[in-house]
Amino acid sequence: GDSVTQMEGPVTLSEEAFLTINCTYTATGYPSLFWYVQYPGEGLQLLLKATKADDKGSNKGFEATYRKETTSFHLEKGSVQVSDSAVYFCALSKGGADGLTFGKGTHLIIQP
Amino acid sequence: DSGVTQTPKHLITATGQRVTLRCSPRSGDLSVYWYQQSLDQGLQFLIQYYNGEERAKGNILERFSAQQFPDLHSELNLSSLELGDSALYFCASSVGPGETYEQYFGPGTRLTVT
């Protein structure tokens, strides 16, 4: 079946550091790819998405590019802030079975 | 605030009992999804409804069932509860079916089975 693999962390960085969270997927066909963020005690919020190969999703300084050849969708941000501390989930979805398949989540901690 | 509401926020019950979780989607959204988040299984898709009809099933146990009512709110029924059913249950909604529609998540219901 479909699956998503991401580094679980915790990942600890200093403020203004460069962030990369790796995500790779296994799926037949052409899934859409998503990054969701979960702040403590809250539900998930969509951070960005890409629906076809070579698409780049971006939002709030975060970016990820849909790479079909490496089945990857790595999340990057050039300069992180303390307020970016949260759990980040990579996910995929395919037509016909529209639930999201999530990775285990990466706990990101940004220190001042 | 995503516009998706879930009640109750917390629920504590005993093994063998039955509970009902409620979800109201965002105004205008026709599709409702249920997810379970636990420490060992992570986030898992349970079931999806679209405009009152079941559309997709994920890893939902036979002891669990759901429905979507004419006013589009949805309920997830969990019966014969076991300790392992303790988890956060999220509801999400989207405008339509299909993977390109953004899913908006509610704040979740934390279920504790003792």
Side-chain angles (χ1 to χ4, degrees), chain A residues 37-43 45 47 60 62 83-88:
Chain A
V37 58
Q38 185 177 29
Y39 298 101
E42 298 184 13
Q45 300 173 28
L47 185 57
K60 299 181 183 177
F62 290 91
S83 57
D84 294 327
S85 298
V87 180
Y88 292 79

Side-chain angles (χ1 to χ4, degrees), chain A residues 24-100:
Chain A
T24 57
Y25 68 90
T26 301
T28 56
Y30 302 94
S32 291
L33 301 174
F34 306 83
W35 277 101
Y36 278 82
V37 58
Q38 185 177 29
Y39 298 101
E42 298 184 13
L44 284 79
Q45 300 173 28
L46 179 66
L47 185 57
L48 52 86
K49 70 178 185 182
T51 58
K52 61 183 188 295
D54 300 324
D55 266 2
K56 178 187 277 190
S58 60
N59 186 26
K60 299 181 183 177
F62 290 91
E63 292 182 340
T65 301
Y66 189 163
R67 301 283 187 206
K68 188 161 176 62
E69 63 277 11
T70 54
T71 62
S72 64
F73 192 55
H74 305 320
L75 182 68
E76 296 182 336
K77 186 175 185 185
S79 176
V80 291
Q81 306 301 312
V82 171
S83 57
D84 294 327
S85 298
V87 180
Y88 292 79
F89 291 92
C90 185
L92 69 82
S93 181
K94 296 189 329 194
D98 299 324
L100 293 160

Side-chain angles (χ1 to χ4, degrees), chain B residues 70-85:
Chain B
D71 67 352
L72 300 176
H73 90 272
S74 178
E75 292 181 355
L76 179 67
N77 300 297
L78 315 177
S79 61
S80 303
L81 284 167
E82 302 174 359
L83 295 177
D85 298 327

Side-chain angles (χ1 to χ4, degrees), chain A residues 30-32 34 36 38 41-47 49 51 87 89 92-104, chain B residues 2 9 33 35 37 39-45 48 55-57 88 90 97-108:
Chain A
Y30 302 94
S32 291
F34 306 83
Y36 278 82
Q38 185 177 29
E42 298 184 13
L44 284 79
Q45 300 173 28
L46 179 66
L47 185 57
K49 70 178 185 182
T51 58
V87 180
F89 291 92
L92 69 82
S93 181
K94 296 189 329 194
D98 299 324
L100 293 160
T101 298
F102 286 93
K104 294 277 190 189
Chain B
S2 67
K9 197 175 172 94
Y33 308 76
Y35 293 87
Q37 184 178 33
L39 279 175
D40 51 347
Q41 299 289 333
L43 262 165
Q44 291 196 94
F45 165 63
Q48 179 201 4
R55 177 173 170 87
K57 259 186 176 176
L88 254 177
F90 287 108
E99 71 276 15
T100 58
Y101 289 100
E102 177 175 344
Q103 294 185 28
Y104 293 86
F105 282 74

